[in-house]
Amino acid sequence: MIEIPRLPLAEWIDDGLDVLTNQFATATKLVSGVMENGIDGAVELLMWPPPWATILVLALIAWRLAGMRTAILALLGFGLLWNLGLWEPTLQTLVMVLIATLIAVVIGTPLGMLAALSSNAYRVIFPVLDLMQTMPAFVYLIPAIPFFGLGPVAAVFSTVIFAMPPAIRLTTLGIRQVPADLIEAADAFGSTRWQKLVKVQLPLAVPTIMAGINQTIMLALSMVVIAAMIGAQGLGGEVWRAIQRNEAGMGFEAGIAVVVLAMVLDQITQGIARGKPGTAS
């Protein structure tokens, strides 16, 4: 029986990561230090006021962006988490999710625009997105460790990679769904490609782009919880400790906190997409 040589794919990947780690070690250490200080500073800033004051501010923001019902949800939900002793982990998770989402959107939105405007870019980007979305989430934790070490920075890095595809996909979809007659009208008025994008396509694509940001936030929240395995704190750390200690009650409390945070963020992003004023219900 003829034996087919085994393809040394794992060795190639390991060697590639070693080369990248050695080449960019200084840069990744610098980025890691700056980002970790930023995360810690943001958490300390949110922890500085009394929890009730921060909860009132968050409820006010929810009211202005998404309406009274979301404000009440934020007030009652965050009040419950404070009562359960999960206030600091909740803020840690919120900060990591918002930072990861911001980075994912900053990178993903231009890539989505490029894929929408260029067929060649579309053919390159979307197969990569298919690979990213079918890869098990735990795999993204592995390359984050040699670059950034254990801790919240590696968690944010892996979260960005995991949560970015919806931002790219829905940005592309939103721009491509703009009615052709509006594009033809813009062409008739002599608009350049950039003017069509900024003044016609992007404004009409905003609801779809916001749906992509919404999905990015939800994926970031789920990944930040998984990233507790590599030293990320927050609600994921509470879930991980509950698993290690086999404390079901503690795990369910942390899980409820994740659900509350997800519901509030979901409602706020939907409110922004609707564009309703703070008096909306």
Side-chain angles (χ1 to χ4, degrees):
M1 185 175 180
I2 300 175
E3 292 187 6
I4 300 176
R6 179 182 179 274
L7 191 67
L9 182 59
E11 289 80 0
W12 292 345
I13 294 174
D14 289 337
D15 292 341
L17 284 176
D18 289 340
V19 171
L20 291 175
T21 303
N22 293 331
Q23 290 291 329
F24 299 102
T26 303
T28 54
K29 287 180 181 178
L30 178 63
V31 170
S32 180
V34 171
M35 186 174 291
E36 188 166 359
N37 290 334
I39 292 172
D40 292 341
V43 173
E44 290 177 5
L45 180 63
L46 291 174
M47 287 292 296
W48 177 71
W52 61 265
T54 306
I55 291 171
L56 287 177
V57 171
L58 293 175
L60 179 62
I61 293 172
W63 171 64
R64 293 300 301 169
L65 295 177
M68 184 57 68
R69 284 183 294 187
T70 304
I72 294 172
L73 171 65
L75 191 64
L76 296 179
F78 290 141
L80 172 64
L81 304 188
W82 177 26
N83 178 263
L84 294 175
L86 294 172
W87 184 237
E88 184 173 358
T90 298
L91 292 181
Q92 290 172 335
T93 299
L94 177 63
V95 168
M96 287 191 290
V97 166
L98 293 181
I99 291 175
T101 300
L102 177 62
I103 297 173
V105 170
V106 168
I107 298 174
T109 302
L111 288 176
M113 293 162 55
L114 179 63
L117 300 176
S118 169
S119 297
N120 291 331
Y122 181 92
R123 285 193 288 269
V124 172
I125 292 173
F126 268 65
V128 176
L129 296 182
D130 293 337
L131 175 65
M132 292 169 65
Q133 290 188 291
T134 53
M135 187 73 70
F138 293 95
V139 175
Y140 292 112
L141 303 178
I142 302 172
I145 298 172
F147 282 104
F148 302 103
L150 298 174
V153 179
V156 169
F157 170 80
S158 57
T159 299
V160 168
I161 303 301
F162 179 75
M164 195 189 306
I168 301 175
R169 285 187 183 278
L170 289 175
T171 298
T172 301
L173 178 64
I175 293 174
R176 289 197 164 197
Q177 282 184 334
V178 173
D181 54 348
L182 295 179
I183 302 298
E184 292 173 359
D187 289 333
F189 281 102
S191 299
T192 64
R193 195 171 188 179
W194 176 252
Q195 289 173 328
K196 282 190 296 182
L197 177 65
V198 173
K199 296 183 178 180
V200 180
Q201 293 170 302
L202 282 180
L204 293 174
V206 164
T208 306
I209 294 173
M210 284 304 305
I213 294 174
N214 178 284
Q215 292 303 305
T216 297
I217 291 174
M218 296 300 105
L219 288 177
L221 187 55
S222 67
M223 189 62 187
V224 162
V225 173
I226 296 173
M229 297 176 62
I230 58 172
Q233 298 301 312
L235 296 173
E238 298 297 317
V239 173
W240 185 239
R241 276 188 288 274
I243 293 172
Q244 291 176 318
R245 299 172 184 174
N246 195 26
E247 296 181 356
M250 178 182 172
F252 272 97
E253 283 185 353
I256 290 171
V258 173
V259 171
V260 169
L261 190 55
M263 291 173 63
V264 172
L265 292 175
D266 177 64
Q267 290 300 311
I268 288 175
T269 52
Q270 288 190 34
I272 295 173
R274 292 193 299 266
K276 291 188 177 182
T279 54
S281 60

